[in-house]
Amino acid sequence: MQGQRSNGEAYYRCRYALEYALANKINHPRNVYLRERDVLTPLDDALASAFAPARLQDTITRMTASQPPPSPDDSALHAAHARLADCDTKLAGYRAALDAGADPTVVTGWITEVQSQRRKIQEQLSTPRPQPTKTMNREQITTLIQQLGDITTALAEAEPTDRAEVYRQLGLRLTYRPEQQKVRVQAQPVADSYGDLVRVRSPT
């Protein structure tokens, strides 16, 4: 959804061309509008409730558990490099054997086999790997929330850009269900922003 102002008010709008909906067999209205102030007040109330002292620890537990699993380690990558180095060692040995007068037919067969293995390893190493998933542990999430301070007061006093930054650092994701007139809210902390938090009540 994109931002749009209408009659002095901020709205979110999703415009979906009819031909795209038909081509993808999606039942989607051509335009969906959602007024921003209809979202922000209940959103801030929900955040205030989730971060209330009585619920804070449960919220931290849920935010910690909501993160994607960490990326696998690089042991497979290290093993591939080790196998590649082993191939290079074998090839060097086979060439030395040729120079020493070994049977060219036999040694050439060995070289061909190892070169084939080497190509497969290089293909594996050249395959793009997914970016490592950064996650935050419970202590980091607790520190992030403590540095944000009282969420209710912070959001009430924040300028729009600072308010958006608070939402971003909490990792908020909102999904609008127009047929139900409901917004699903998920919070997943942003590991990249840890340690560089917004100051929402500072002159700077």
Side-chain angles (χ1 to χ4, degrees), residues 84-112:
L84 192 67
D86 184 56
C87 287
D88 290 338
T89 301
K90 287 181 178 179
L91 288 173
Y94 296 157
R95 293 187 182 108
L98 279 176
D99 291 340
D103 186 340
T105 304
V106 175
V107 176
T108 301
W110 295 345
I111 290 175
T112 301

Short mmCIF file of all heavy atoms in Angstrom, two decimals, residues 84-112:
data_model
loop_
_atom_site.label_atom_id
_atom_site.label_comp_id
_atom_site.label_asym_id
_atom_site.label_seq_id
_atom_site.Cartn_x
_atom_site.Cartn_y
_atom_site.Cartn_z
N LEU A 84 38.22 -28.58 -2.82
CA LEU A 84 38.83 -27.93 -3.98
C LEU A 84 40.35 -27.92 -3.85
O LEU A 84 41.08 -28.20 -4.81
CB LEU A 84 38.29 -26.50 -4.11
CG LEU A 84 38.61 -25.76 -5.41
CD1 LEU A 84 37.89 -26.42 -6.58
CD2 LEU A 84 38.19 -24.29 -5.31
N ALA A 85 40.83 -27.61 -2.65
CA ALA A 85 42.28 -27.62 -2.42
C ALA A 85 42.85 -29.02 -2.58
O ALA A 85 43.96 -29.21 -3.11
CB ALA A 85 42.58 -27.09 -1.01
N ASP A 86 42.08 -30.04 -2.16
CA ASP A 86 42.53 -31.43 -2.31
C ASP A 86 42.64 -31.80 -3.80
O ASP A 86 43.59 -32.49 -4.20
CB ASP A 86 41.54 -32.36 -1.61
CG ASP A 86 42.00 -33.81 -1.64
OD1 ASP A 86 43.12 -34.09 -1.19
OD2 ASP A 86 41.22 -34.67 -2.13
N CYS A 87 41.69 -31.32 -4.59
CA CYS A 87 41.74 -31.58 -6.04
C CYS A 87 43.00 -30.95 -6.64
O CYS A 87 43.68 -31.56 -7.47
CB CYS A 87 40.50 -31.01 -6.73
SG CYS A 87 38.98 -31.95 -6.43
N ASP A 88 43.30 -29.72 -6.24
CA ASP A 88 44.48 -29.04 -6.77
C ASP A 88 45.76 -29.80 -6.39
O ASP A 88 46.70 -29.90 -7.20
CB ASP A 88 44.53 -27.60 -6.24
CG ASP A 88 43.44 -26.73 -6.84
OD1 ASP A 88 42.92 -27.09 -7.92
OD2 ASP A 88 43.10 -25.69 -6.23
N THR A 89 45.78 -30.33 -5.16
CA THR A 89 46.95 -31.10 -4.72
C THR A 89 47.11 -32.36 -5.56
O THR A 89 48.22 -32.72 -5.99
CB THR A 89 46.81 -31.47 -3.23
OG1 THR A 89 46.70 -30.27 -2.45
CG2 THR A 89 48.00 -32.28 -2.76
N LYS A 90 45.99 -33.04 -5.82
CA LYS A 90 46.05 -34.26 -6.64
C LYS A 90 46.51 -33.95 -8.06
O LYS A 90 47.34 -34.68 -8.63
CB LYS A 90 44.67 -34.92 -6.67
CG LYS A 90 44.27 -35.60 -5.37
CD LYS A 90 42.90 -36.24 -5.51
CE LYS A 90 42.50 -36.96 -4.23
NZ LYS A 90 41.15 -37.58 -4.34
N LEU A 91 45.97 -32.87 -8.64
CA LEU A 91 46.34 -32.52 -10.01
C LEU A 91 47.84 -32.23 -10.11
O LEU A 91 48.51 -32.63 -11.07
CB LEU A 91 45.52 -31.32 -10.50
CG LEU A 91 44.04 -31.60 -10.78
CD1 LEU A 91 43.30 -30.30 -11.08
CD2 LEU A 91 43.89 -32.57 -11.96
N ALA A 92 48.34 -31.50 -9.11
CA ALA A 92 49.77 -31.20 -9.11
C ALA A 92 50.58 -32.49 -9.02
O ALA A 92 51.61 -32.65 -9.70
CB ALA A 92 50.10 -30.26 -7.94
N GLY A 93 50.11 -33.44 -8.20
CA GLY A 93 50.82 -34.71 -8.07
C GLY A 93 50.77 -35.52 -9.36
O GLY A 93 51.77 -36.15 -9.75
N TYR A 94 49.62 -35.50 -10.03
CA TYR A 94 49.50 -36.26 -11.28
C TYR A 94 50.40 -35.68 -12.37
O TYR A 94 51.03 -36.42 -13.15
CB TYR A 94 48.05 -36.26 -11.77
CG TYR A 94 47.09 -36.98 -10.84
CD1 TYR A 94 45.72 -36.69 -10.85
CD2 TYR A 94 47.53 -37.96 -9.94
CE1 TYR A 94 44.84 -37.33 -10.02
CE2 TYR A 94 46.65 -38.60 -9.09
CZ TYR A 94 45.30 -38.28 -9.13
OH TYR A 94 44.42 -38.93 -8.30
N ARG A 95 50.51 -34.36 -12.42
CA ARG A 95 51.37 -33.73 -13.42
C ARG A 95 52.84 -34.05 -13.13
O ARG A 95 53.64 -34.25 -14.05
CB ARG A 95 51.12 -32.22 -13.45
CG ARG A 95 49.73 -31.86 -13.97
CD ARG A 95 49.54 -30.37 -14.16
NE ARG A 95 48.19 -30.07 -14.61
CZ ARG A 95 47.24 -29.49 -13.86
NH1 ARG A 95 47.53 -29.13 -12.62
NH2 ARG A 95 46.05 -29.26 -14.36
N ALA A 96 53.16 -34.09 -11.85
CA ALA A 96 54.53 -34.46 -11.47
C ALA A 96 54.81 -35.91 -11.87
O ALA A 96 55.92 -36.24 -12.31
CB ALA A 96 54.72 -34.27 -9.97
N ALA A 97 53.78 -36.76 -11.74
CA ALA A 97 53.96 -38.16 -12.12
C ALA A 97 54.19 -38.28 -13.62
O ALA A 97 55.01 -39.10 -14.09
CB ALA A 97 52.73 -38.97 -11.70
N LEU A 98 53.47 -37.46 -14.42
CA LEU A 98 53.69 -37.45 -15.86
C LEU A 98 55.11 -37.05 -16.19
O LEU A 98 55.78 -37.66 -17.04
CB LEU A 98 52.69 -36.50 -16.54
CG LEU A 98 51.28 -37.02 -16.80
CD1 LEU A 98 50.41 -35.92 -17.39
CD2 LEU A 98 51.32 -38.22 -17.76
N ASP A 99 55.57 -35.99 -15.53
CA ASP A 99 56.94 -35.51 -15.77
C ASP A 99 57.97 -36.57 -15.39
O ASP A 99 59.06 -36.62 -15.96
CB ASP A 99 57.20 -34.22 -14.97
CG ASP A 99 56.39 -33.05 -15.48
OD1 ASP A 99 55.93 -33.11 -16.64
OD2 ASP A 99 56.19 -32.07 -14.71
N ALA A 100 57.60 -37.42 -14.42
CA ALA A 100 58.54 -38.46 -13.95
C ALA A 100 58.49 -39.71 -14.82
O ALA A 100 59.21 -40.68 -14.56
CB ALA A 100 58.23 -38.82 -12.50
N GLY A 101 57.61 -39.72 -15.85
CA GLY A 101 57.57 -40.84 -16.76
C GLY A 101 56.47 -41.85 -16.52
O GLY A 101 56.52 -42.97 -17.06
N ALA A 102 55.44 -41.51 -15.72
CA ALA A 102 54.32 -42.44 -15.49
C ALA A 102 53.53 -42.63 -16.78
O ALA A 102 53.62 -41.81 -17.71
CB ALA A 102 53.43 -41.90 -14.39
N ASP A 103 52.74 -43.68 -16.83
CA ASP A 103 51.94 -44.01 -18.03
C ASP A 103 50.96 -42.87 -18.31
O ASP A 103 50.05 -42.61 -17.51
CB ASP A 103 51.18 -45.31 -17.78
CG ASP A 103 50.43 -45.79 -19.03
OD1 ASP A 103 50.19 -44.96 -19.93
OD2 ASP A 103 50.08 -46.97 -19.08
N PRO A 104 51.09 -42.18 -19.45
CA PRO A 104 50.22 -41.03 -19.74
C PRO A 104 48.75 -41.39 -19.80
O PRO A 104 47.89 -40.61 -19.37
CB PRO A 104 50.73 -40.55 -21.11
CG PRO A 104 52.12 -41.08 -21.21
CD PRO A 104 52.12 -42.38 -20.46
N THR A 105 48.43 -42.58 -20.30
CA THR A 105 47.02 -42.98 -20.41
C THR A 105 46.36 -43.07 -19.03
O THR A 105 45.25 -42.57 -18.81
CB THR A 105 46.89 -44.32 -21.15
OG1 THR A 105 47.52 -44.23 -22.42
CG2 THR A 105 45.44 -44.71 -21.33
N VAL A 106 47.05 -43.72 -18.12
CA VAL A 106 46.51 -43.89 -16.76
C VAL A 106 46.39 -42.54 -16.06
O VAL A 106 45.35 -42.19 -15.48
CB VAL A 106 47.39 -44.85 -15.95
CG1 VAL A 106 46.90 -44.92 -14.49
CG2 VAL A 106 47.40 -46.23 -16.57
N VAL A 107 47.46 -41.74 -16.12
CA VAL A 107 47.48 -40.48 -15.40
C VAL A 107 46.47 -39.50 -16.00
O VAL A 107 45.79 -38.76 -15.28
CB VAL A 107 48.90 -39.87 -15.42
CG1 VAL A 107 48.90 -38.50 -14.74
CG2 VAL A 107 49.89 -40.79 -14.72
N THR A 108 46.33 -39.51 -17.33
CA THR A 108 45.35 -38.64 -17.97
C THR A 108 43.94 -38.96 -17.49
O THR A 108 43.11 -38.07 -17.28
CB THR A 108 45.44 -38.75 -19.50
OG1 THR A 108 46.76 -38.39 -19.92
CG2 THR A 108 44.43 -37.84 -20.16
N GLY A 109 43.64 -40.23 -17.29
CA GLY A 109 42.33 -40.63 -16.77
C GLY A 109 42.10 -40.08 -15.37
O GLY A 109 41.01 -39.61 -15.04
N TRP A 110 43.16 -40.16 -14.55
CA TRP A 110 43.05 -39.61 -13.20
C TRP A 110 42.79 -38.10 -13.25
O TRP A 110 41.95 -37.58 -12.52
CB TRP A 110 44.34 -39.86 -12.42
CG TRP A 110 44.64 -41.31 -12.14
CD1 TRP A 110 43.78 -42.36 -12.24
CD2 TRP A 110 45.89 -41.84 -11.72
NE1 TRP A 110 44.39 -43.53 -11.91
CE2 TRP A 110 45.71 -43.25 -11.58
CE3 TRP A 110 47.14 -41.30 -11.45
CZ2 TRP A 110 46.74 -44.09 -11.17
CZ3 TRP A 110 48.18 -42.14 -11.06
CH2 TRP A 110 47.98 -43.52 -10.91
N ILE A 111 43.54 -37.42 -14.11
CA ILE A 111 43.40 -35.96 -14.22
C ILE A 111 41.98 -35.58 -14.66
O ILE A 111 41.36 -34.66 -14.13
CB ILE A 111 44.45 -35.39 -15.19
CG1 ILE A 111 45.85 -35.49 -14.59
CG2 ILE A 111 44.14 -33.94 -15.55
CD1 ILE A 111 46.97 -35.07 -15.51
N THR A 112 41.47 -36.30 -15.65
CA THR A 112 40.12 -36.02 -16.15
C THR A 112 39.08 -36.18 -15.04
O THR A 112 38.16 -35.35 -14.89
CB THR A 112 39.78 -36.96 -17.32
OG1 THR A 112 40.73 -36.77 -18.37
CG2 THR A 112 38.38 -36.68 -17.85
#
